[in-house]
Amino acid sequence: MTSLVDWSVAERSARALSPQPPSITPEQAHATVQELRRATDRAAGQVAELTRLVEPAVTAATVVVDRPGWIAANVASMSAVMDPLTAKLVEKKPPGRLTAAVGGRVTGAQAGTILAFLSGKVLGQYEFFSANNGQLLLVAPNLVAVERSLKLDPSDFRLWVCLHEVTHRVQFTAVPWMRQHMLDEIQALTDAIDLDPEAVRERVKNVVSELAKAARGGDGNGLLTALASPETRAVMDRVTGFMSLIEGHAEYVMNAVPATVIPSQPDIERKFAARRRRGANPLDRLLRSLLGMDAKTRQYTQGSQFVRSVVEQVGLDDFNAVWTSAQTLPTKAEITAPADWVKRVHG
């Protein structure tokens, strides 16, 4: 079978291009790993109290990784999700001889470039595509780099990040239908892709405006949105509502902990919000915009505001009706109009 992405090329490219990690002694590295493991266990109790979601017995491994480890885990995850989908695309429109010969390596190198960029940014991730029981990844060098650059209390910051990632673990284990819902939406995106050359050429025009927005430092929606058909955009809007909820919910939890748990939380939240807004440098901002990462930042902010507003209106237990089914998830429009969700779900 012809693969549209050569994942071995992706992993090699990502490893070669990944930025250098911060300098750290073996003793400091060992201490960081141990503290992150303890912080994950501690976070679980806080998340249970703040969400009132009942997590089943934890079977997901907590894995503290370096940047190459994060790359390897995400290559496995992306290939597990994308290979069955790209196989269907190949069935719809088989590639030509040249594309079949070199296309996988080219797209593999492109995927590797993106993974290399992200490998220096991601702090943690709950990954459930490539591992049966899921795994909670914590990227130690990135955590150390951020806490140093922002002059944060390391113990407080590590627990703060663990709260976010453990919340994602709870979301996808305490709400058992969500994993399949995510897979179904990915399948829907694939089914909606329009391979007609004329339609694609027309939508490429939108890329120019996205590039202009990114170059001006604006918050474009990324190239994927620019190239999407109307059918694909409809699915993407559903996914945006869903992702805004789960990211915003995790953001709400990590910033709702009592001061006795994370004394420097206000300082962390303030500095981290400023870091997200400005990016590291102009190239960083450009890449973030093109990849749609500015849109992801909006998901954190708008999703957290949605959760906070609904909890204030109806209380935490009635907010948790959001996890009942796919039909009770907020739409993209409801994320910025929480009262509309309350009215629809609670009358």
Side-chain angles (χ1 to χ4, degrees):
M1 180 186 73
T2 300
S3 176
L4 294 184
V5 183
D6 187 325
W7 294 108
S8 62
V9 170
E11 184 166 356
R12 288 197 302 271
S13 300
R15 284 174 175 264
L17 297 170
S18 182
Q20 287 296 310
S23 176
I24 189 169
T25 67
E27 293 76 18
Q28 289 172 324
H30 177 76
T32 299
V33 170
Q34 296 305 310
E35 182 171 19
L36 286 170
R37 292 186 182 280
R38 290 193 299 271
T40 302
D41 293 338
R42 187 181 175 195
Q46 293 295 322
V47 172
E49 184 175 341
L50 290 167
T51 66
R52 297 181 195 164
L53 294 176
V54 180
E55 183 180 23
V58 177
T59 57
T62 297
V63 187
V64 183
V65 296
D66 57 10
R67 287 166 181 168
W70 180 86
I71 289 167
N74 277 268
V75 165
S77 175
M78 292 172 70
S79 61
V81 173
M82 293 183 64
D83 281 351
L85 304 180
T86 56
K88 292 189 176 183
L89 294 179
V90 170
E91 288 177 9
K92 290 180 181 179
K93 190 175 182 65
R97 184 175 301 175
L98 179 61
T99 301
V102 302
R105 293 195 293 275
V106 172
T107 52
Q110 293 169 337
T113 301
I114 294 171
L115 284 168
F117 174 75
L118 295 176
S119 72
K121 305 294 180 184
V122 175
L123 302 179
Q125 173 187 2
Y126 177 64
E127 193 278 306
F128 56 80
F129 290 117
S130 64
N132 290 334
N133 296 323
Q135 54 184 341
L136 196 156
L137 305 174
L138 297 166
V139 191
N142 294 350
L143 285 158
V144 171
V146 171
E147 66 197 28
R148 287 179 179 177
S149 67
L150 298 184
K151 297 180 173 57
L152 303 173
D153 179 279
S155 294
D156 282 3
F157 179 61
R158 294 167 189 180
L159 177 57
W160 190 72
V161 171
C162 287
L163 282 164
H164 187 103
E165 303 311 329
V166 169
T167 300
H168 286 325
R169 186 185 71 194
V170 171
Q171 291 165 343
F172 282 95
T173 55
V175 187
W177 57 266
M178 280 195 16
R179 181 179 186 274
Q180 188 58 49
H181 174 74
M182 188 74 169
L183 293 170
D184 290 344
E185 291 291 55
I186 292 171
Q187 178 65 62
L189 276 173
T190 304
D191 292 341
I193 290 175
D194 186 353
L195 296 178
D196 177 67
E198 288 299 325
V200 172
R201 272 196 292 270
E202 183 64 27
R203 291 196 297 275
V204 164
K205 296 176 183 177
N206 295 330
V207 174
V208 176
S209 64
E210 289 299 318
L211 286 168
K213 288 179 185 176
R216 292 194 301 267
D219 56 349
N221 292 315
L223 295 184
L224 180 59
T225 302
L227 289 169
S229 67
E231 293 78 10
T232 307
R233 283 175 180 267
V235 182
M236 290 176 69
D237 282 350
R238 294 202 306 269
V239 173
T240 297
F242 175 65
M243 294 303 297
S244 296
L245 170 68
I246 64 172
E247 293 293 356
H249 183 237
E251 187 92 344
Y252 168 82
V253 169
M254 70 195 299
N255 291 321
V257 293
T260 53
V261 177
I262 303 181
S264 63
Q265 183 273 331
D267 182 56
I268 295 172
E269 184 180 3
R270 176 178 56 81
K271 290 180 177 178
F272 207 74
R275 175 181 179 268
R276 280 178 180 160
R277 286 194 300 271
R278 66 175 180 264
N281 55 55
L283 178 59
D284 179 84
R285 290 196 295 271
L286 176 64
L287 288 170
R288 284 176 175 273
S289 186
L290 292 178
L291 294 173
M293 292 176 71
D294 287 335
K296 187 173 180 64
T297 299
R298 291 197 300 275
Q299 288 176 1
Y300 285 116
T301 303
Q302 294 175 352
S304 180
Q305 291 171 348
F306 169 84
V307 176
R308 187 178 298 108
S309 176
V310 173
V311 171
E312 288 173 355
Q313 290 180 60
V314 299
L316 181 57
D317 289 335
D318 281 345
F319 163 78
N320 279 342
V322 78
W323 311 114
T324 304
S325 70
Q327 286 67 48
T328 55
L329 293 173
T331 64
K332 180 181 178 182
E334 287 171 341
I335 285 291
T336 53
D340 291 349
W341 180 87
V342 172
K343 182 177 180 180
R344 176 171 67 85
V345 174
H346 292 291

